[in-house]
């Protein structure tokens, strides 16, 4: 016996069409607030970022051109924070990747790395560019070179300019002193000649 659809069931078929299969496929990209796909840094990308910072040889097979400068800067900041956490508490390192992040981070932000950067910075300073300052310091402070270099070029330039201005003022003062001396000497000579004439008469 064939069952015929009632008017009510026909309406339900039109208003409630069969549901399509749910797509369970996931994607490796996150959607940002702007609606643009946001690429996720892989562990390999993180190592690449650290190698860039430490100036170690970089594999050209995995460049970071897929990320913006802002994204890389944020990742650098997070990796620095992660390194300092590992440096304080070694037990937080759970995976080989954590260990590699720590070892590379130590070459960038570790104490020895910072000291090496400071030493390199000191060696780059050329004291010959600050002659007025150097001429004064070497008279009173024999071991002046390293102390001056540690101040940095900006501070050295400021100090040198002050000494230069003072030397110019001293030169002007000496010139005025010399002119005043000759003026006074002229009056003294004239006075002496007048005194001699009066004595003769």
């Amino acid at each position: 016996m064939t069952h015929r659809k009632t008017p009510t069931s026909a309406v339900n078929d039109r208003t409630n069409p069969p549901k399509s299969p749910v797509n369970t496929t996931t994607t490796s990209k996150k959607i940002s607030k702007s609606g643009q796909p946001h690429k996720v840094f892989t562990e390999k990308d993180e190592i690449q970022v650290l190698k860039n910072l430490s100036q170690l040889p970089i594999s050209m097979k995995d460049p970071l051109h897929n990320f913006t400068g802002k994204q890389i800067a944020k990742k650098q900041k997070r990796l620095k924070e992660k390194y300092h956490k590992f440096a304080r508490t070694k037990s937080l390192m759970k995976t080989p990747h954590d260990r590699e992040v720590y070892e590379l981070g130590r070459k960038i932000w570790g104490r020895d790395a910072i000291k090496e950067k400071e030493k390199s910075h000191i060696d780059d300073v050329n004291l010959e560019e600050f002659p007025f300052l150097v001429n004064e310091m070497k008279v009173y402070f024999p071991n002046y070179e390293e102390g001056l270099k540690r101040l940095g070029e900006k501070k050295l330039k400021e100090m040198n300019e002050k000494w230069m201005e003072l030397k110019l003022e001293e030169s002007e003062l000496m010139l005025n002193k010399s002119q005043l001396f000759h003026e006074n000497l002229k009056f003294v000579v004239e006075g002496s000649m007048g005194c001699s004439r009066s004595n003769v008469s």
Side-chain angles (χ1 to χ4, degrees):
M1 181 176 180
T2 303
H3 293 282
R4 301 178 67 180
K5 290 185 177 181
T6 63
T8 303
S9 62
V11 171
N12 289 337
D13 288 343
R14 288 197 300 271
T15 56
N16 299 305
K19 294 182 179 180
S20 59
V22 177
N23 184 5
T24 58
T25 303
T26 58
T27 175
S28 62
K29 295 180 180 179
K30 294 181 180 180
I31 304 300
S32 65
K33 293 180 180 180
S34 62
Q36 297 296 323
H38 174 69
K39 293 184 178 295
V40 178
F41 282 84
T42 64
E43 290 185 350
K44 187 179 292 186
D45 291 332
E46 291 185 345
I47 298 304
Q48 201 78 355
V49 170
L50 291 172
K51 285 185 175 182
N52 283 351
L53 286 173
S54 61
Q55 298 180 345
L56 294 176
I58 301 168
S59 171
M60 298 308 295
K61 295 180 181 178
D62 302 297
L64 295 169
H65 61 255
N66 290 329
F67 301 96
T68 66
K70 187 175 181 180
Q71 288 174 324
I72 293 174
K74 285 184 177 180
K75 176 54 66 175
Q76 289 173 351
K77 182 179 179 182
R78 288 171 184 167
L79 288 171
K80 183 177 181 180
E81 292 172 351
K82 182 182 287 189
Y83 160 74
H84 285 299
K85 286 181 181 178
F86 290 158
R88 288 191 297 268
T89 310
K90 300 292 192 299
S91 60
L92 291 176
M93 289 183 281
K94 304 295 185 183
T95 66
H97 175 68
D98 290 343
R99 169 62 62 177
E100 191 170 8
V101 168
Y102 171 74
E103 293 297 339
L104 287 172
R106 187 169 61 174
K107 295 176 182 179
I108 304 166
W109 302 296
R111 292 180 181 177
D112 292 340
I114 293 173
K115 288 180 180 178
E116 188 64 28
K117 288 178 183 178
E118 288 178 351
K119 185 177 182 300
S120 176
H121 176 69
I122 289 173
D123 293 339
D124 290 341
V125 175
N126 182 10
L127 292 180
E128 292 180 359
E129 297 178 4
F130 315 101
F132 294 96
L133 172 62
V134 170
N135 287 338
E136 295 299 324
M137 291 299 104
K138 67 183 180 182
V139 174
Y140 305 103
F141 188 42
N143 302 320
Y144 68 92
E145 291 190 10
E146 186 173 350
L148 287 178
K149 287 182 177 181
R150 287 183 177 277
L151 297 176
E153 292 187 350
K154 183 178 180 180
K155 186 64 176 179
L156 291 176
K157 183 178 180 181
E158 178 185 333
M159 295 168 68
N160 188 70
E161 287 178 352
K162 288 183 178 180
W163 277 109
M164 182 175 65
E165 292 173 0
L166 183 60
K167 287 296 181 183
L168 290 174
E169 291 175 1
E170 287 181 351
S171 298
E172 186 177 358
L173 179 61
M174 292 300 295
L175 178 60
N176 292 337
K177 183 178 179 180
S178 177
Q179 291 175 345
L180 180 60
F181 173 78
H182 284 91
E183 288 177 1
N184 291 171
L185 181 61
K186 180 180 178 181
F187 293 136
V188 171
V189 171
E190 289 176 352
S192 298
M193 291 176 63
C195 182
S196 297
R197 291 195 194 98
S198 63
N199 289 336
V200 171
S201 59

